[in-house]
Amino acid sequence: MKHQQLLTKAKEILLNNFQEKGFTIPCKGLYPFQWNWDSGFIAIGFAHFDMEKAKKEIKTLIDSQWSNGFIPHIIFHNKSDTYFPGPNFHRSDLSKLSNTNVPTTGMTQPHVLGIALERMYEIAENKEAMIRFIKENIDAIYNFSLYFYNHRDPLDEGLAYIYHNWESGTDNSPIWDDIWDTMDSPSLEFKRKDTGHVDASQRPSKREYDHYLHIIEIAKKHNYDDAKIAEFSPFLVQDPLFNSVLISSNKALIRLYELIGGYEEKVEKLKSLTQKSIRNFNSKLFDEKLGAYCHYDLRKGKLLRYVSSSSFSPLHAEIPTKERAEKLIYTMMKKFGNEHQYLCASFDPTHERFNPKKYWRGPVWINLNWLLYHGLKKYDYTHIAERIKKESIEIIEKNGFYEYFDARKEISEKQAAGYGGNNFSWSAALLIDLLNE
Ligand code: GLC
C-alpha cells in the first residue's frame, strides 16, 4: 500500500472507532470503552487531521478524574456486553474519591497525557487556540502527575508503584509470572469475553485471570484506598515503562507551562520531583549484568531481572546518561535487533518465556515502537530510530492495522502476522504521526 492509502485507511479507522460521546474506543468488540493511554495516543493521531476530536479525546479522559487527581484506566461512558470485567465488577463507587459522573475502573495506566498534549501543540496549526486549550486543561494533567508522588510512592523515592498488571499497559508480560508464582488466588467463576473475539492461544490463561481479578477484589475490599493497597496488594511493582512515561509527561508539562508563562511554582515542583525520580530510577532500576532497566518488585524487595521493550523506554524520558544509553542500546540490538527480527519485540526473544504470538509476551506493539523511536532520536541513534520507524510502517503495510505483530520477519513473509484486535486505534493514530513527521 502506498503511504497515502495507508493514511486514508488509518484516518478511516479512527473515525469509525470514534464514539458519539466524544471519545474513541481502541477497537470494536474487544475493547468497547475509553482506555486511558490509548486515548493519549489516539489524540496525537487525530491532531493531524481533526484537532477538535483530538481535544475531545483528552477532555473526555480528563473529565473522569477523581478528586485526588487520579485518572482511571477504563472509563465506562457507555454500556457494552462485549467486555469483562465491566463497571459492575470494578465498582469505582466504592471509593469516596471517585468521579460520580461516570463509572470507571479503580486502577490507572501509563500517564501519557503530558506527552500527548505537547505533541498536539507541536502539530497544531492554530497555536493560539491550542494554547487556550492547554491553559484550560494542563492543571488537571499536572494533578495527575502529582497524584503518583503523593499516593503511589510509599518510600518517597520519586518512583510510582503499580498494583496491577493492567496498570502497566503491558498486561500479560512474562515478567508477571514471577508474581503469580507467589500468589495463591482462589479459582473464580466468571465468563470472559476476550477469548470470544481473539484466538484464546494469544490471550492470558484462566489461571492468570484468577490472579487479575483477585488483586482487584483486594483493592475493592479496601475501597481503592492507596495506602491500604500499598500495604496489602500482592502485586506492587515499580515499572520502568510506567515511570519513564510519567517522567516524560512531567518534562512535557514543564515545557508547556514555561511556554504559556506564569506557573513558576508548578514548574519548580515538577523539576524537583523529576530530578529525584531520575536519580532513583538510575540507581534502583538498572541491572548492570543484563545491561538494561528492569522492574522492581516492592513486595519482595528485588529486581525482576528480565529484558522487555519496557527496559528501553527510559530513553524517551532521557533518563540514562549517554554512556548508559550506549549500553542499553547495545543490549537492545543484541537481543532484539538482529536482521531476522522486527524491532522491537515486547519481550526478550532469547528468553525461554518469549512467545511470538501471545499478547505482550513477544509481539511488536506500535505504541512502544513510537516511544522508542523518539527516545533513540533524543540520543542521536538516528539509524536505529529510522529502522524502527520503517519497520513499524512495514508491518502495518503487510498485515493491516492490528493490535500487535509477530517480530519474526520470516513469518511475516509467509503468512498473516498481525494478531489481537484489528482496526486498532493506536496503531492507526501513531502511524499517522510517524508518516506526517
Ligand atoms: C490491552 C493492552 C493495554 C491497552 C488495552 C486497550 O489491555 O494491554 O495496554 O490499553 O488493551 O487497547
Side-chain angles (χ1 to χ4, degrees):
M1 237 191 273
K2 293 243 169 54
H3 286 175
Q4 205 47 46
Q5 282 169 297
L6 270 180
L7 277 174
T8 308
K9 175 77 186 151
K11 290 178 188 170
E12 202 181 287
I13 289 171
L14 287 185
L15 291 169
N16 278 334
N17 287 342
F18 181 77
Q19 307 293 299
E20 242 173 59
K21 288 191 178 165
F23 68 96
T24 309
I25 56 172
C27 77
K28 294 213 166 92
L30 190 60
Y31 306 119
F33 306 109
Q34 183 173 33
W35 259 258
N36 186 324
W37 76 326
D38 296 66
S39 273
F41 295 125
I42 289 165
I44 293 172
F46 268 130
H48 287 282
F49 67 102
D50 189 336
M51 191 56 95
E52 286 317 304
K53 285 203 173 55
K55 290 177 180 169
K56 270 196 184 143
E57 195 68 42
I58 301 289
K59 270 304 274 176
T60 47
L61 182 59
I62 286 177
D63 283 348
S64 73
Q65 190 160 38
W66 293 17
S67 62
N68 56 351
F70 173 87
I71 301 181
H73 124 271
I74 306 177
I75 329 300
F76 301 109
H77 295 285
N78 50 315
K79 290 205 169 26
S80 169
D81 57 8
T82 68
Y83 183 84
F84 173 83
N88 298 337
F89 184 88
H90 285 283
R91 294 281 317 275
S92 54
D93 60 299
L94 290 171
S95 167
K96 57 180 188 312
L97 307 172
S98 68
N99 189 309
T100 49
N101 295 326
V102 63
T104 67
T105 58
M107 62 177 86
T108 186
Q109 270 193 322
H111 176 10
V112 296
L113 267 170
I115 301 173
L117 193 66
E118 187 181 33
R119 185 75 190 116
M120 281 166 66
Y121 174 77
E122 286 164 5
I123 298 164
E125 277 167 15
N126 185 343
K127 300 282 189 217
E128 246 172 65
M130 195 59 212
I131 285 187
R132 246 178 290 136
F133 180 79
I134 292 172
K135 282 187 176 160
E136 282 162 23
N137 294 288
I138 192 166
D139 285 346
I141 302 178
Y142 169 85
N143 290 337
F144 188 33
S145 280
L146 248 55
Y147 159 80
F148 292 106
Y149 298 102
N150 292 335
H151 303 289
R152 294 287 191 111
D153 185 17
L155 303 177
D156 197 20
E157 297 170 302
L159 298 174
Y161 71 72
I162 54 171
Y163 81 85
H164 197 289
N165 53 306
W166 287 344
E167 291 200 307
S168 70
T170 61
D171 299 15
N172 194 31
S173 169
I175 295 164
W176 316 134
D177 295 3
D178 284 22
I179 298 177
W180 311 143
D181 284 347
T182 68
M183 281 174 63
D184 185 23
S185 307
S187 173
L188 302 168
E189 289 263 334
F190 52 88
K191 192 158 170 14
R192 278 169 70 173
K193 301 282 173 80
D194 58 328
T195 44
H197 305 292
V198 172
D199 188 336
S201 69
Q202 295 167 22
R203 300 286 303 179
S205 66
K206 151 80 170 72
R207 191 63 191 136
E208 283 163 330
Y209 255 78
D210 282 340
H211 298 311
Y212 304 170
L213 300 181
H214 182 56
I215 307 172
I216 299 175
E217 290 297 2
I218 293 172
K220 277 159 68 178
K221 197 169 119 199
H222 298 292
N223 300 323
Y224 291 116
D225 179 304
D226 291 312
K228 288 273 192 292
I229 288 174
E231 201 175 338
F232 296 110
S233 174
F235 187 115
L236 211 69
V237 170
Q238 289 165 325
D239 178 313
L241 170 64
F242 195 91
N243 280 284
S244 295
V245 165
L246 172 60
I247 293 169
S248 276
S249 266
N250 291 345
K251 289 186 168 183
L253 291 178
I254 291 171
R255 288 188 289 266
L256 291 174
Y257 272 133
E258 284 176 341
L259 180 89
I260 56 183
Y263 292 86
E264 287 71 21
E265 229 173 86
K266 287 182 172 151
V267 167
E268 280 320 305
K269 178 90 185 157
L270 284 171
K271 280 189 177 163
S272 81
L273 285 171
T274 303
Q275 268 169 16
K276 175 159 123 190
S277 296
I278 292 179
R279 200 172 51 243
N280 289 323
F281 197 117
N282 271 317
S283 60
K284 193 172 186 184
L285 304 185
F286 194 76
D287 186 279
E288 288 289 347
K289 246 194 177 154
L290 284 173
Y293 290 95
C294 297
H295 296 67
Y296 190 89
D297 182 346
L298 273 176
R299 236 343 124 239
K300 290 275 171 302
K302 61 165 195 200
L303 272 183
L304 298 167
R305 303 186 56 259
Y306 301 98
V307 189
S308 63
S309 50
S310 302
S311 300
F312 312 121
S313 61
L315 294 169
H316 190 274
E318 295 178 87
I319 291 167
T321 58
K322 274 216 165 328
E323 209 185 354
R324 185 169 274 184
E326 195 181 323
K327 241 187 212 169
L328 187 64
I329 295 164
Y330 175 80
T331 306
M332 173 166 133
M333 294 314 282
K334 191 152 172 252
K335 283 180 179 288
F336 297 64
N338 72 42
E339 76 270 27
H340 305 297
Q341 296 171 20
Y342 286 117
L343 282 171
C344 177
S346 42
F347 189 71
D348 184 351
T350 66
H351 197 282
E352 62 190 17
R353 287 188 191 171
F354 174 78
N355 180 328
K357 288 192 172 177
K358 211 166 176 167
Y359 187 58
W360 290 112
R361 301 180 78 90
V364 175
W365 293 71
I366 299 299
N367 63 334
L368 258 296
N369 271 12
W370 186 87
L371 290 169
L372 298 183
Y373 167 71
H374 287 287
L376 286 158
K377 281 214 312 197
K378 291 178 189 178
Y379 286 84
D380 293 327
Y381 282 81
T382 318
H383 194 64
I384 305 174
E386 288 306 326
R387 178 175 155 194
I388 293 201
K389 176 172 170 175
K390 186 174 146 272
E391 294 185 351
S392 302
I393 298 167
E394 196 177 311
I395 46 177
I396 294 178
E397 244 175 335
K398 276 207 167 110
N399 301 295
F401 288 85
Y402 275 89
E403 186 181 0
Y404 40 100
F405 303 87
D406 209 304
R408 299 166 300 173
K409 286 190 178 166
E410 64 191 304
I411 296 297
S412 212
E413 309 278 285
K414 287 189 228 133
Q415 65 193 58
Y419 309 127
N422 193 2
N423 295 322
F424 197 75
S425 292
W426 79 34
S427 300
L430 296 176
L431 179 103
I432 296 174
D433 192 56
L434 288 172
L435 286 179
N436 272 303
E437 239 204 320

